[in-house]
Amino acid sequence: MQSIIRNLSNLFLLFLGHLEPEQVLNLRQISGELEKTGLENNKRKQRFQWTVQRIRLSPRERHLAASLKCTHTEELRCVVVRLERRRFLPLDPQHVTLTLEKVFSFEWATDEILFYSTLEGLRSSAVFRLDLTSSGSRITSVFEEMQPDVFVEVALTRDRQILTINCNSRTSSEVLLSDIATSNLDPFVVQPRQLNLLYHVVQAPVSEPSMDSWVSLFAPEPGTTIKDMDVVGDHCVLVARTPVSELALIVVPLIHPKNAYILPSWACAIKTKKPSLADQQNMLEFLISSPVHPPVPYCLHPENELLLSGTEDGSSPENQADYITTRLEACSQDGTFVPVTLFHTVPVEHLRQAPLLVHVYGAYGRDLNMEFYPEKKVMLEQGWALAYCHVRGGGERGLSWHRQACVGGKRRGVEDLQACLHHLFSLGVSSPSLTALTACSAGAVPVGALCNRHPLLMRAVTLQAPFLDVLGTMEDHSLPLTLEDRDEWGDPVGNPEHRHIITSYCPLHNITPQHYPSMLLTAYSGDNMVPLAGVLKYTEQLKKAIHTHSSMKPKSGTQVISPSLQPYTYCLFVFYSITKEALKLAFLYMELGLDPPRPPRKRRR
């Protein structure tokens, strides 16, 4: 599993034979200047903090590479450290061999060769090779992608035998391989990219990896979507989502029939562990979780056909909480059935008076984020019902699910969300006056569009870094993601039909004087992905529409709460996150007319 260590000033490594951990990296030494005196706020000193994002050890553990991220400037940096055993005390700080700027992904090919990709703005397009020699180091360019919509990253297979350069867009794939087992590390193309051909894993000889040599390993049944994969020994382990949106592990032995392991019904997210040199290569360790279930460790032994689970105290994961997970399907306007995942603590028939928080995304072929969040668990314990609507445009049901809501199909995501709300209400789950919608980034598009069309379906809305001005953003080619995003939203400048479609649903361009649900918008001043100008323009136009409506109907109670804009880069990240969630919860309780949250019950000892 990718190592993420937050707010550390030192990194320690424990060598065999050492009684105490040995410091190998001091983040303060590589941060440049520790403090920077600014001219604002009475020359208040501002401390730079670095967090470790990823750690990679070379094959024989002679070098360590660690990627760092500055919490104040979002600056990316990779440091390479030479590891040596120490025989005498005191220990001097370990020597940092090299510092590389703007590194996004990296992997060791040998103890002296590191491949890495760089991030310029929001685009990763170049791969470099670092050679560490006795006289210093040498950096050479390995690959450069010319297409602006292609994202490049470096990866290493589980057995550390093949290094891959993955070049993916939303409509094509191209993978380059480097066989580490040979002395020639020059990457070669598996299969040149073709429009609408996306490939990630195929079975083919390394000597002839093109499409003519591909062998089909597994064909998913209709409605089953492959989300991830790993190779464990002689088995290919596929992470799949079933037609009813449950997670499953499908084990495909390379020489025997496949097996399938259905995970607990509450499982919504899975993270696999990347094995270290000391880990067994014939088993797969992973964590499963849901928005209200903390991560639980599991271990799969494909050869023995064993799936083991448990928590650190030996208790069964299923007994951790008495939460109910219900899988539903709502029929959309065109007859398509849209999955809905509902979390609750009492039977569905008793949820009529329960407050409901509805989550949605539906863009870029990405699944709705369903990892664990402590605040969701708290809300469930306070009597809320939590619904996750897997509308078209996301990736829950594969490429076709995404493509049905691209460009000309974007309105389908809005229709799907509306159908989900109607279905929940028809089952007796909450009511519009007790319902709030929440979304972030591109998920704000279906929410904002639904607020314009059917504002009485919900009482409140919270949006984080919301994408609300689709037309204005896609017209501005100077923005970093506009050209890349044309496959998702369309080209309103060069295609009049695309412009007409975007104008029909764009949240900003369809605001009208009417009653709107109360809204809490959170925006960031340095966000390159969601331009702040669009959020501000939306807020001002919505305020004008509400004011016009209020002047005609004075009893209208809609309000737009726009808190002070937060900088996108900040030091007190943890404190800010807690404050943001507290503000959102306070807003929801106030707007839905709920009693203040009950204090948690004290556990009996």
Side-chain angles (χ1 to χ4, degrees):
M1 192 163 311
Q2 180 177 339
S3 299
I4 300 179
I5 307 172
R6 300 187 181 279
N7 297 330
L8 296 181
S9 60
N10 298 293
L11 181 64
F12 294 89
L13 188 65
L14 182 63
F15 286 104
L16 294 177
H18 282 240
L19 296 179
E20 296 294 335
E22 176 184 339
Q23 178 181 320
V24 297
L25 180 63
N26 187 327
L27 299 190
R28 297 189 179 189
Q29 292 178 344
I30 54 88
S31 64
E33 51 183 330
L34 276 179
E35 295 179 347
K36 181 178 179 180
T37 302
L39 297 178
E40 300 177 357
N41 298 329
N42 298 322
K43 296 185 177 181
R44 177 175 55 87
K45 287 185 178 181
Q46 193 172 53
R47 180 174 297 276
F48 287 78
Q49 296 181 355
W50 292 81
T51 58
V52 179
Q53 301 292 299
R54 180 185 296 180
I55 298 173
R56 293 288 185 266
L57 283 171
S58 65
R60 297 185 181 180
E61 301 186 0
R62 293 178 180 174
H63 292 92
L64 177 146
S67 60
L68 312 174
K69 184 178 180 181
C70 183
T71 55
H72 179 69
T73 65
E74 297 294 303
E75 177 184 351
L76 294 173
R77 180 175 295 179
C78 178
V79 294
V80 179
V81 180
R82 184 175 65 250
L83 302 178
E84 296 176 350
R85 293 194 179 188
R86 305 297 184 107
R87 296 184 179 180
F88 306 102
L89 295 175
L91 299 177
D92 295 327
Q94 194 81 353
H95 177 64
V96 175
T97 302
L98 196 66
T99 300
L100 304 170
E101 301 295 336
K102 301 180 180 180
V103 172
F104 175 72
S105 63
F106 56 96
E107 295 289 352
W108 289 101
T110 70
D111 277 299
E112 289 77 30
I113 299 177
L114 180 75
F115 284 83
Y116 65 93
S117 65
T118 56
L119 191 67
E120 295 286 347
L122 297 176
R123 184 167 179 251
S124 178
S125 59
V127 176
F128 298 89
R129 168 175 165 168
L130 168 67
D131 287 78
L132 301 175
T133 65
S134 57
S135 59
S137 61
R138 181 177 67 256
I139 297 177
T140 54
S141 176
V142 173
F143 176 82
E144 185 172 4
E145 176 58 56
M146 305 307 296
Q147 296 295 329
D149 61 338
V150 175
F151 197 87
V152 178
E153 68 178 315
V154 175
L156 190 65
T157 58
R158 185 182 180 87
D159 61 5
R160 298 173 175 258
Q161 296 300 305
I162 302 292
L163 185 139
T164 66
I165 299 175
N166 305 312
C167 312
N168 295 312
S169 72
R170 297 190 181 96
T171 57
S172 66
S173 294
E174 189 170 85
V175 178
L176 290 81
L177 299 183
S178 180
D179 190 353
I180 297 177
T182 65
S183 57
N184 183 13
L185 295 178
D186 293 338
F188 56 91
V189 177
V190 172
Q191 169 66 37
R193 68 172 57 104
Q194 297 179 14
L195 185 63
N196 294 326
L197 172 64
L198 297 174
Y199 68 92
H200 301 279
V201 182
V202 295
Q203 185 181 25
V206 175
S207 58
E208 294 289 339
S210 63
M211 189 185 298
D212 294 335
S213 303
W214 290 2
V215 176
S216 177
L217 281 179
F218 173 74
E221 298 177 358
T224 298
T225 306
I226 303 301
K227 309 306 298 183
D228 198 2
M229 67 80 59
D230 210 334
V231 176
V232 183
D234 293 329
H235 300 75
C236 180
V237 181
L238 305 172
V239 178
R241 193 172 292 279
T242 68
V244 293
S245 296
E246 291 184 338
L247 284 177
L249 293 180
I250 300 174
V251 179
V252 184
L254 302 181
I255 55 177
H256 298 295
K258 68 175 177 25
N259 291 324
Y261 300 85
I262 302 298
L263 297 175
S265 60
W266 55 262
C268 298
I270 183 170
K271 285 188 176 182
T272 58
K273 176 183 178 182
K274 188 178 181 67
S276 65
L277 296 176
D279 288 336
Q280 299 182 37
Q281 297 293 326
N282 60 351
M283 70 176 184
L284 178 69
E285 295 180 87
F286 58 96
L287 298 174
I288 61 172
S289 63
S290 83
V292 298
H293 293 86
V296 175
Y298 272 74
C299 183
L300 174 67
H301 298 264
E303 292 184 1
N304 301 326
E305 298 184 0
L306 290 177
L307 179 62
L308 305 177
S309 64
T311 55
E312 293 183 358
D313 59 3
S315 62
S316 172
E318 287 76 9
N319 294 332
Q320 286 188 339
D322 296 326
Y323 305 147
I324 304 173
T325 304
T326 302
R327 310 279 181 173
L328 305 169
E329 284 189 323
C331 185
S332 194
Q333 183 174 314
D334 61 359
T336 300
F337 286 94
V338 182
V340 180
T341 306
L342 181 68
F343 297 98
H344 47 108
T345 57
V346 298
V348 171
E349 56 268 22
H350 296 159
L351 291 176
R352 174 62 70 185
Q353 301 301 320
L356 173 66
L357 182 62
V358 178
H359 306 70
V360 68
Y361 186 68
Y364 299 111
R366 298 174 184 169
D367 291 7
L368 181 59
N369 187 355
M370 298 192 70
E371 295 181 352
F372 174 67
Y373 286 94
E375 62 271 19
K376 306 300 183 186
K377 185 174 183 290
V378 171
M379 294 180 73
L380 203 64
E381 293 173 347
Q382 295 290 333
W384 286 73
L386 306 177
Y388 291 76
C389 302
H390 310 287
V391 303
R392 281 174 286 184
E396 285 84 353
R397 291 194 167 177
L399 291 175
S400 63
W401 196 251
H402 169 222
R403 291 171 178 171
Q404 287 181 54
C406 283
V407 190
K410 276 298 174 186
R411 286 170 290 194
R412 293 192 178 110
V414 186
E415 295 167 358
D416 290 354
L417 177 58
Q418 179 182 345
C420 291
L421 290 176
H422 282 307
H423 186 58
L424 288 167
F425 297 151
S426 68
L427 292 176
V429 179
S430 195
S431 61
S433 62
L434 289 173
T435 296
L437 269 61
T438 185
C440 67
S441 193
V445 174
V447 174
L450 189 63
C451 288
N452 288 329
R453 296 183 183 186
H454 302 284
L456 299 180
L457 279 179
M458 75 291 294
R459 178 67 186 87
V461 169
T462 69
L463 300 175
Q464 298 81 49
F467 183 38
L468 296 163
D469 185 10
V470 182
L471 181 61
T473 300
M474 297 309 298
E475 286 179 330
D476 188 351
H477 289 182
S478 67
L479 296 174
L481 291 179
T482 296
L483 294 178
E484 178 183 345
D485 280 355
R486 285 185 298 188
D487 291 333
E488 181 73 23
W489 306 100
D491 180 12
V493 176
N495 190 315
E497 182 181 356
H498 288 181
R499 184 181 185 87
H500 174 72
I501 293 171
I502 294 173
T503 303
S504 70
Y505 68 80
C506 177
L508 172 62
H509 292 270
N510 288 277
I511 294 174
T512 184
Q514 61 177 341
H515 174 86
Y516 275 91
S518 298
M519 295 189 184
L520 173 65
L521 307 180
T522 306
Y524 306 95
S525 60
D527 192 344
N528 292 323
M529 299 185 69
V530 180
L532 179 60
V535 182
L536 296 177
K537 193 184 302 183
Y538 176 88
T539 303
E540 290 305 314
Q541 193 160 328
L542 186 61
K543 286 181 177 179
K544 291 180 181 178
I546 293 172
H547 182 268
T548 301
H549 178 68
S550 299
S551 63
M552 295 184 295
K553 297 183 178 181
K555 293 184 179 181
S556 175
T558 304
Q559 62 175 312
V560 177
I561 296 183
S562 181
S564 59
L565 297 175
Q566 300 293 336
Y568 186 67
T569 53
Y570 38 78
C571 291
L572 299 177
F573 177 77
V574 176
F575 173 77
Y576 170 70
S577 297
I578 296 174
T579 303
K580 181 178 66 174
E581 292 304 324
L583 173 64
K584 184 162 60 175
L585 286 175
F587 167 78
L588 292 175
Y589 272 84
M590 178 180 66
E591 293 306 315
L592 269 59
L594 304 177
D595 294 331
R598 303 183 304 271
R601 297 178 181 178
K602 295 183 179 180
R603 295 182 178 180
R604 296 180 180 179
R605 296 184 178 180

